[in-house]
Amino acid sequence: MSDDAPSPIFTAYRPNRRTLLQAGSLALLLAGKHQIAYGASIMAVRVWPAEDYSRVTLESDVPLVAKQTLIESPPRLAVDIEGLQLNDALKELVAKVRPDDPNIAAIRVGQNAPNVVRLVIDLKRDAVPQVFTLKPVAAYQHRLVFDLYPAKTVDPLEALIQDRLRDATSNPDIPAALTPPTQQATAPHDPLGDLIAKHSSTAPSAPAVSPPAATPAPPQTASKTPGPRTEASAPKRTDRIIIVALDPGHGGEDPGAIGPRGTYEKNVVLKIAQLLRDRINKSSINGSPMRAYLTRDGDYFVPLGQRVAKARRVQADLFISIHADAFTRPSANGASVFALSQKGASSTAARWLADKENQADLVGGINVRSQDAGVQSMLLDMSTTAQINDSLKLGTALLTQIGSFAKLHKPRVEQAGFAVLKAPDIPSVLVETAFISNPQEEQNLRSAAYQTKLADAMMEGIRQYFIKNPPLARSRTV
C-alpha cells in the first residue's frame, strides 16, 4: 500500500445496553440449566425402613431428574439420575440399608455415564415403587424420593385378629363376653365379625366360635336360673373387641418439634404410644378385650389422610393422636387435649397449632399424584356433631387424668380444625403431652418415668370414657 493511499477505517463494535442485558440473561439461563443438569450436589441421603413401605431420599441443592425401571426377576428398581458425579455422599447409601428392612435388600450405586449416576435398589419382595420430587420446605432442600410399597400388603385388621387369637389360645383365663342370643339375632351385619369368624374357624388352635350344641338337662338339675358354666363347657370366645387407634405424630422425614436439647418429637411420642399400646392390649372393658392399633410403629412418615384411613380400616372405636407441642416462647408449658371444631378454633393458639400440625404432609413429603381421591375428599368432609360430642367426652376424661400429675395448658378441651381428627365415625382427639420447646418439659418427656405416667394416665382416661360411654354393640365372635 502506497503512502498516498487512504488508510482503512476500523470501527469497534459497541453493543448497546439492551444487547448486553439480553446476553447476560442468556448466559445466566444457560448457567442455571447447566447447574440443574450437571452441577447438582448431594447434601444428604436417607433410608427409612418400615413394614408399610420403605423410603429412600436424596437431598440436593438443585432439582434432580431421574428415570426409573422396575425389573421383576429378581425384583429391583434401577434409577438413572442425571447431572451427578459419584461421590462419598451417594456411596453412603450402601451402608444405610438395615438388615431388618422388610423391603430393601441392598442398594448399589455407580457412574453409569459421565454425568449420570445409576442407583439399583435390590428388593426383598415384589414392590410398587413411587418416584417423585419435593420442593424445598422447612430444613430441607430439593428432595428426590423413592417410596417402595409391597405389592402384597398385610391387612391390619387381620393382623389384629390373629394377635387376639394367639392371646386367647395361650391365655385361657382371658375374660369372655357373651352376647345373649336375642341380641345376636338382631345385631346388624358386621363385616368385621365375619372376618373374625373366618380366621377363628381356620386357626388350628383357635377357641370355639360358637357354643356347643344344646343337650337336654337332667331332670334333677333343671332350674329356671341356670348355674355358672364350668370351665369345660364355657366356650372360649369374645363377642366384642374394643379397638383403639393410637397415632404417634410425625415420623421419618418429619421430625416434628425439636427441643432445646435436640429431642425429636417423633421419637418421644412413639415411645409413649408403645407404652400405651402395651397397657391397652392387657386390658378389657366389661369383659371385652381391648386391642391397640398404631398408625405407625417405627420411624417412618404417614400422611395425615392415611392415618385417618388406617383407623377406619380397622373399625377403631377411638382415635388418639399423640404429640409434643412447641411454641416460639420457651416459657410456654402444660399439656393440652384437642377435639375437632366445625365452627373454627376455640382460641388463637389452637388455630395456630392446627395450622402447624396440618403442614406435616409438606415436611414429611407425599406424592400428591398418588393420593387416593377418597382420602382427599375425606379430609374435606366435616365430622358429625355426635362424633365431636363423643370426642369432647373422651378428651375430658384424658385431660382429667393427665391433670392429676401434670400442669395443664388449658383446663378444658380445646377445638380446632385438625385434619387428622376428621374421621366422621370415630371419636378422635389430639393430645399434646407437653411443650417440648420448654426446657423443663423437654426433660420430663425424655424421662422414662414421666412417659410411663403419661401412658398410665391416658389408659385410665380411656377406661373412664368407656365406663360412661360403652362401645356400640357389635357381634365380633372370636
Side-chain angles (χ1 to χ4, degrees), residues 29-101:
L29 180 61
L30 291 175
K33 289 186 176 181
H34 178 77
Q35 183 187 28
I36 294 175
Y38 302 108
S41 176
I42 297 297
M43 306 174 66
V45 294
R46 293 177 291 273
V47 179
W48 306 99
E51 192 68 34
D52 286 10
Y53 73 103
S54 292
R55 169 172 287 191
V56 178
T57 303
L58 305 183
E59 186 179 355
S60 65
D61 57 347
V62 295
L64 295 175
V65 178
K67 297 178 181 178
Q68 69 271 7
T69 303
L70 182 63
I71 304 167
E72 294 183 355
S73 182
R76 59 195 186 278
L77 179 67
V79 184
D80 286 339
I81 307 172
E82 300 178 6
L84 284 183
Q85 297 293 330
L86 187 60
N87 58 16
D88 292 340
L90 284 169
K91 292 177 182 178
E92 287 181 9
L93 271 175
V94 177
K96 286 185 177 289
V97 178
R98 287 172 24 183
D100 61 347
D101 191 313

Side-chain angles (χ1 to χ4, degrees), residues 357-380:
E357 296 292 358
N358 290 345
Q359 293 174 3
D361 282 352
L362 298 177
V363 180
I366 61 171
N367 185 4
V368 178
R369 288 176 296 179
S370 71
Q371 289 296 290
D372 182 79
V375 173
Q376 292 185 27
S377 63
M378 180 179 60
L379 290 179
L380 299 177

Side-chain angles (χ1 to χ4, degrees), residues 162-191:
Q162 294 288 12
D163 183 51
R164 162 62 190 153
L165 291 174
R166 283 191 294 270
D167 276 5
T169 303
S170 59
N171 300 299
D173 295 331
I174 288 180
L178 300 178
T179 303
T182 55
Q183 291 186 24
Q184 290 182 349
T186 58
H189 178 258
D190 180 17

Side-chain angles (χ1 to χ4, degrees), residues 20-306:
L20 286 172
L21 289 173
Q22 290 175 342
S25 300
L26 180 60
L28 287 173
L29 180 61
L30 291 175
K33 289 186 176 181
H34 178 77
Q35 183 187 28
I36 294 175
Y38 302 108
S41 176
I42 297 297
M43 306 174 66
V45 294
R46 293 177 291 273
V47 179
W48 306 99
E51 192 68 34
D52 286 10
Y53 73 103
S54 292
R55 169 172 287 191
V56 178
T57 303
L58 305 183
E59 186 179 355
S60 65
D61 57 347
V62 295
L64 295 175
V65 178
K67 297 178 181 178
Q68 69 271 7
T69 303
L70 182 63
I71 304 167
E72 294 183 355
S73 182
R76 59 195 186 278
L77 179 67
V79 184
D80 286 339
I81 307 172
E82 300 178 6
L84 284 183
Q85 297 293 330
L86 187 60
N87 58 16
D88 292 340
L90 284 169
K91 292 177 182 178
E92 287 181 9
L93 271 175
V94 177
K96 286 185 177 289
V97 178
R98 287 172 24 183
D100 61 347
D101 191 313
N103 300 295
I104 301 176
I107 295 179
R108 294 172 282 145
V109 294
Q111 194 75 47
N112 189 48
N115 288 292
V116 177
V117 167
R118 171 161 292 181
L119 189 74
V120 179
I121 304 176
D122 296 318
L123 304 171
K124 291 183 178 178
R125 51 184 173 177
D126 292 339
V128 179
Q130 293 184 10
V131 181
F132 56 98
T133 58
L134 297 170
K135 295 180 179 179
V137 64
Y140 294 117
Q141 295 299 310
H142 297 274
R143 284 177 287 174
L144 177 63
V145 180
F146 311 91
D147 283 349
L148 302 162
Y149 291 87
K152 185 177 181 181
T153 59
V154 177
D155 187 337
L157 186 53
E158 290 192 33
L160 276 177
I161 295 167
Q162 294 288 12
D163 183 51
R164 162 62 190 153
L165 291 174
R166 283 191 294 270
D167 276 5
T169 303
S170 59
N171 300 299
D173 295 331
I174 288 180
L178 300 178
T179 303
T182 55
Q183 291 186 24
Q184 290 182 349
T186 58
H189 178 258
D190 180 17
L192 177 57
D194 296 343
L195 184 56
I196 292 175
K198 179 190 74 171
H199 283 279
S200 299
S201 61
T202 57
S205 58
V209 299
S210 59
T215 55
Q220 65 272 22
T221 60
S223 173
K224 293 183 180 180
T225 304
R229 290 178 179 266
T230 64
E231 182 65 26
S233 64
K236 295 290 188 296
R237 72 175 196 172
T238 56
D239 286 321
R240 185 68 163 91
I241 298 178
I242 299 174
I243 299 174
V244 180
L246 302 178
D247 175 50
H250 310 283
E253 294 281 287
D254 177 18
I258 303 175
R261 296 178 57 186
T263 307
Y264 282 8
E265 177 185 4
K266 66 175 183 178
N267 296 334
V268 170
V269 298
L270 177 60
K271 181 61 178 177
I272 295 171
Q274 291 170 336
L275 291 171
L276 181 53
R277 173 196 60 191
D278 295 342
R279 284 153 177 74
I280 290 173
N281 288 348
K282 295 176 183 177
S283 301
S284 62
I285 300 293
N286 296 328
S288 296
M290 302 179 70
R291 272 292 174 273
Y293 171 72
L294 269 63
T295 59
R296 71 173 180 96
D297 55 3
D299 188 12
Y300 58 96
F301 176 71
V302 181
L304 298 176
Q306 287 298 329

Side-chain angles (χ1 to χ4, degrees), residues 240 242 285-286 290 317-318 386-398 427 460-473:
R240 185 68 163 91
I242 299 174
I285 300 293
N286 296 328
M290 302 179 70
D317 295 287
L318 298 179
Q387 184 263 26
I388 293 178
N389 288 339
D390 286 339
S391 300
L392 291 171
K393 294 175 184 177
L394 171 61
T396 300
L398 293 171
E460 185 58 28
I462 293 169
R463 193 190 313 276
Q464 292 300 322
Y465 169 80
F466 277 127
I467 289 175
K468 296 179 181 179
N469 306 274
L472 297 175

